[in-house]
Amino acid sequence: MENIISTRGLTKKYKNFISVNNLNINIKRGSIYGFLGPNGAGKSTTMKMLLGMTNPTSGKFRIDGKKMPEDRIEILKEIGSFIESPAYYPNLTGRENLDIIRKILGLNKRDVEDALELVGLTEFGDRLVKKYSLGMKQRLGLAGALIGKPPILILDEPTNGLDPAGIHEIRNLIKSLPKKFDCTIMISSHMLSEIELMADDIGILNHGKLLFEGSMDELRREARKQGYNDDNLEDMFLSMIDADNDARKQRAVL
């Protein structure tokens, strides 16, 4: 299957701190790619580089055959994104916030209603955003990413702040999108148990370094190879992170 997103040697340094370290990831067209790692692993920084929100220190990437920064505008036209906590105009309604995005993108008014319906906010569309709960704000951010049904979605922990029922609903929505709209999704999380229920492939990041990339079946095989119970991949994920942290401490001592 063709890769719609690929990075080669992607690196981001801040003075003496390396946030993303020589990253090579491959995201297949039409798939859901789970981007995993603990807080501070470099997931958000990677996504910001893909969106042109921050420049790589070195390395390169392609999105749908296009390169940054040469094709930045064309790339961004194809991507809907949800990064960290999206910014809103609190004194405007949810519908009015989405209408601003619609006008910027040159979309139809119907696209606002479709996005509200997708995330279950239709009945709250005329409520001021400052009166939204955290979960409703997360849904509105997801609606902003989905407006116009873009072919690529980059979602940074979109279920944060949702209750279990909301997480289940948003998870099922995300799972349905590739078939519904023929799109590709990159979604980050620090919980494998959540990503395991959605993703076709995963990449595991720690301190900016890619520890694993492959399918869920390949991760299970890796778990068995390393002597872990492949029925509990969360333990495998946490053990992989711990082992990498221990190796870093040993190198630092030497």
Side-chain angles (χ1 to χ4, degrees):
M1 189 182 295
E2 176 194 1
N3 292 327
I4 193 168
I5 298 176
S6 60
T7 73
R8 292 294 174 268
L10 196 63
T11 299
K12 182 66 178 181
K13 295 181 180 179
Y14 297 98
K15 294 185 178 178
N16 296 325
F17 174 68
I18 301 176
S19 178
V20 177
N21 188 3
N22 197 35
L23 186 66
N24 299 323
I25 61 172
N26 301 282
I27 302 178
K28 298 170 186 170
R29 187 181 298 274
S31 70
I32 298 178
Y33 184 95
F35 200 38
L36 282 158
N39 292 332
K43 304 185 300 296
S44 295
T45 301
T46 300
M47 290 177 155
K48 287 177 180 177
M49 286 191 282
L50 295 178
L51 290 166
M53 297 169 67
T54 187
N55 294 322
T57 305
S58 60
K60 57 186 178 181
F61 63 88
R62 284 182 177 270
I63 296 180
D64 201 13
K66 303 175 183 69
K67 296 187 294 184
M68 281 279 196
E70 299 93 323
D71 304 314
R72 183 175 187 272
I73 300 301
E74 287 75 13
I75 287 173
L76 294 182
K77 285 179 181 177
E78 295 187 37
I79 299 177
S81 64
F82 178 112
I83 299 294
E84 294 177 337
S85 298
Y88 311 98
Y89 294 99
N91 291 316
L92 297 181
T93 67
R95 184 172 277 107
E96 288 169 336
N97 270 272
L98 291 181
D99 201 50
I100 291 171
I101 299 173
R102 175 193 72 79
K103 289 175 180 176
I104 291 171
L105 297 176
L107 301 172
N108 296 319
K109 288 187 177 181
R110 181 65 223 173
D111 289 314
V112 170
E113 302 309 315
D114 288 346
L116 286 170
E117 184 178 348
L118 275 171
V119 300
L121 280 181
T122 298
E123 63 180 300
F124 304 107
D126 291 324
R127 181 180 293 184
L128 295 179
V129 169
K130 66 182 178 182
K131 296 184 178 179
Y132 275 17
S133 67
L134 177 58
M136 291 168 69
K137 289 177 181 176
Q138 292 293 99
R139 290 171 183 270
L140 184 62
L142 189 54
L146 290 170
I147 192 168
K149 303 180 181 66
I152 301 169
L153 290 171
I154 294 180
L155 309 176
D156 190 11
E157 305 207 13
T159 58
N160 271 359
L162 298 179
D163 59 22
I167 291 172
H168 178 75
E169 187 176 340
I170 295 300
R171 180 202 305 144
N172 285 341
L173 168 63
I174 290 170
K175 284 172 63 176
S176 73
L177 291 174
K179 287 185 179 178
K180 241 184 212 178
F181 305 133
D182 191 26
C183 64
T184 303
I185 302 174
M186 180 184 190
I187 177 170
S188 75
S189 177
H190 58 274
M191 295 178 61
L192 177 56
S193 57
E194 182 64 27
I195 291 296
E196 185 181 357
L197 299 172
M198 290 186 280
D200 302 298
D201 299 307
I202 62 169
I204 296 177
L205 198 68
N206 191 43
H207 292 287
K209 176 186 172 186
L210 190 68
L211 302 183
F212 173 87
E213 184 179 61
S215 67
M216 298 305 303
D217 285 342
E218 287 170 331
L219 182 60
R220 290 187 177 89
R221 286 196 290 272
E222 183 66 20
R224 289 193 295 269
K225 181 180 174 182
Q226 296 191 23
Y228 297 108
N229 181 358
D230 62 355
D231 290 331
N232 191 335
L233 291 181
E234 190 76 29
D235 284 350
M236 164 69 177
F237 166 60
L238 294 173
S239 297
M240 188 180 292
I241 297 297
D242 287 343
D244 184 61
N245 288 338
D246 288 344
R248 288 174 180 275
K249 290 176 184 176
Q250 291 176 8
R251 288 196 295 269
V253 170
L254 295 176

